[in-house]
Amino acid sequence: MLRNRIYYGLKPFIPQSFRTAIRRKVALRLRHRIGSVWPIAPGSERRPQDWPGWPGNKKFALVLTHDVESVAGMRRMEQMADLEERYNFRSAWNLPLAQFEIDWNLVERLRRRGFEFGAHGLCHDGRLFRSEADFKQLAPILEREARIYEMKGFRAPSTLRRVEWIRRLAFDFDCSFSDSDPYEPQPGGTCSLFPFHLSRLIELPYTLPQDHTLIHLLHRSPLPVWTMKAKWIASIGGMILTLTHPDYCGDGVYLKAYAELLKHLVDINAAWRALPFEVAAWWQQRAQLRLRVENGRPIISGPGATRATALRLSEQPLAN
């Protein structure tokens, strides 16, 4: 965190091209050390305890999310949304609420079409999680703005995070963690392809590598990496959660790569296509289910309990 405090203190005075070049140099050195393991994190395929399967007997979950980082990115949102609708997808867009002027008419148009919006912090200045004093000052402002614009989810700018503070935020869910992302300013990951609880919040980790990481830091074509990992996640029944930016993927050759990813995802059968708030709400509901055994058969009680859930659980071996 000290390194990040120094970086964000100097950031306004360092040209974007120079910052990217430094990050690229560090990332390429790290890639050489990591080798071919990433972007798959060994152990992340482990399913949660008492895993009942995804809703509707779907084999895996598929969630599309975007972070918007500039006015230019905002201008490209509608084009990406049109592309997603062409393949019968809807996605979530996370907006920094004090970084640039937001086109709220555009937001409402996309909401009416079934897209979701979340809070991407206030600004990409590193302040929210810089110190507890900063957090106590900025979190109420962030929460108030998010309530005004009916945003249920949060993703931290630059995915900087303090888990003990994120738990205190007044959101329904968080998307600031990855399953494995060693190239972020704050590297690391949850080593999980499934949602989980952060106290009251639901954590939805992003599980495909970010476009910025692949395109600008590693100089890799994003499509082969995306499709390889998406196929692996689908094969083990996890959650494919994308994190792309219209700033980078909203135009030109990279928009075409994103279109190819959507085509690939359409061809993978048995996906639960969901928005983040739907996954979080289902996970909260799942946590309220109760299982008891009567006459050797499972009885499920609680909100959302269904016969299908009971049947899936009845196929599992009962503990002695």
Side-chain angles (χ1 to χ4, degrees):
M1 296 305 294
L2 176 60
R3 179 193 64 186
N4 284 330
R5 290 184 68 174
I6 295 171
Y7 170 78
Y8 281 101
L10 297 174
K11 181 179 177 181
F13 309 103
I14 305 174
Q16 172 69 48
S17 58
F18 184 75
R19 298 199 309 265
T20 301
I22 294 298
R23 285 194 62 191
R24 181 184 305 126
K25 185 175 181 179
V26 172
L28 291 175
R29 186 181 303 145
L30 181 59
R31 181 187 176 190
H32 180 73
R33 284 187 8 227
I34 292 173
S36 60
V37 175
W38 187 82
I40 291 175
S44 59
E45 70 278 4
R46 289 192 299 268
R47 296 182 177 184
Q49 187 177 13
D50 301 325
W51 174 243
W54 297 104
N57 290 323
K58 299 298 185 180
K59 293 182 179 178
F60 66 99
L62 176 54
V63 186
L64 305 179
T65 75
H66 312 278
D67 292 350
V68 186
E69 298 191 347
S70 66
V71 173
M74 174 156 276
R75 293 195 192 105
R76 295 171 175 174
M77 288 168 57
E78 211 151 19
Q79 182 173 226
M80 289 190 77
D82 292 343
L83 176 63
E84 290 169 346
E85 275 192 331
R86 196 179 308 159
Y87 296 100
N88 198 29
F89 287 110
R90 298 295 186 278
S91 61
W93 304 83
N94 299 309
L95 306 176
L97 299 178
Q99 186 162 313
F100 53 82
E101 186 174 350
I102 294 173
D103 182 349
W104 293 109
N105 291 324
L106 170 61
V107 169
E108 289 308 310
R109 285 201 305 273
L110 291 178
R111 269 189 168 147
R112 288 195 295 269
R113 290 164 60 178
F115 292 85
E116 179 184 349
F117 285 85
H120 193 29
L122 294 170
C123 297
H124 283 69
D125 58 5
R127 280 194 61 200
L128 182 62
F129 296 108
R130 184 172 63 184
S131 69
E132 183 146 18
D134 284 305
F135 181 80
K136 287 180 177 179
Q137 177 189 354
L138 296 176
I141 301 171
L142 168 65
E143 292 167 341
R144 183 189 67 230
E145 293 297 306
R147 282 195 302 272
I148 290 172
Y149 297 109
E150 300 179 336
M151 295 174 169
K152 298 181 179 181
F154 170 76
R155 178 177 286 137
S158 305
T159 64
L160 296 176
R161 58 204 181 271
R162 294 250 184 134
V163 64
E164 65 273 21
W165 298 349
I166 286 179
R167 287 171 170 160
R168 290 152 50 183
L169 289 172
F171 289 92
D172 290 351
F173 62 90
D174 173 67
C175 298
S176 302
F177 295 79
S178 69
D179 67 317
S180 174
D181 195 339
Y183 299 106
E184 280 294 270
Q186 185 177 344
T190 66
C191 207
S192 175
L193 299 171
F194 297 86
F196 57 89
H197 275 82
L198 280 181
S199 298
R200 181 188 56 80
L201 274 72
I202 303 300
E203 181 61 39
L204 304 177
Y206 64 92
T207 58
L208 289 195
Q210 294 191 44
D211 50 358
H212 178 266
T213 300
L214 295 171
I215 296 167
H216 295 290
L217 300 186
L218 301 181
H219 283 179
R220 296 180 68 177
S221 174
L223 184 61
V225 182
W226 283 339
T227 54
M228 178 274 293
K229 189 166 184 186
K231 183 177 180 180
W232 178 71
I233 295 172
S235 72
I236 62 176
M239 177 177 65
I240 299 172
L241 195 150
T242 69
L243 196 179
T244 55
H245 304 75
D247 312 75
Y248 314 124
C249 270
D251 197 19
V253 63
Y254 296 119
L255 181 62
K256 293 180 180 177
Y258 185 63
E260 290 300 319
L261 172 64
L262 296 179
K263 291 179 186 177
H264 175 81
L265 294 174
V266 165
D267 290 338
I268 305 178
N269 294 323
W272 178 36
R273 299 186 187 184
L275 291 168
F277 85 92
E278 294 174 315
V279 180
W282 171 73
W283 201 261
Q284 288 283 23
Q285 186 181 81
R286 171 186 176 273
Q288 298 175 52
L289 295 177
R290 296 293 177 266
L291 170 65
R292 68 181 189 277
V293 178
E294 291 185 2
N295 300 321
R297 296 191 61 81
I299 304 296
I300 307 294
S301 60
T306 65
R307 181 173 179 272
T309 304
L311 288 173
R312 283 199 299 275
L313 286 174
S314 69
E315 296 171 357
Q316 305 300 318
L318 298 176
N320 293 326

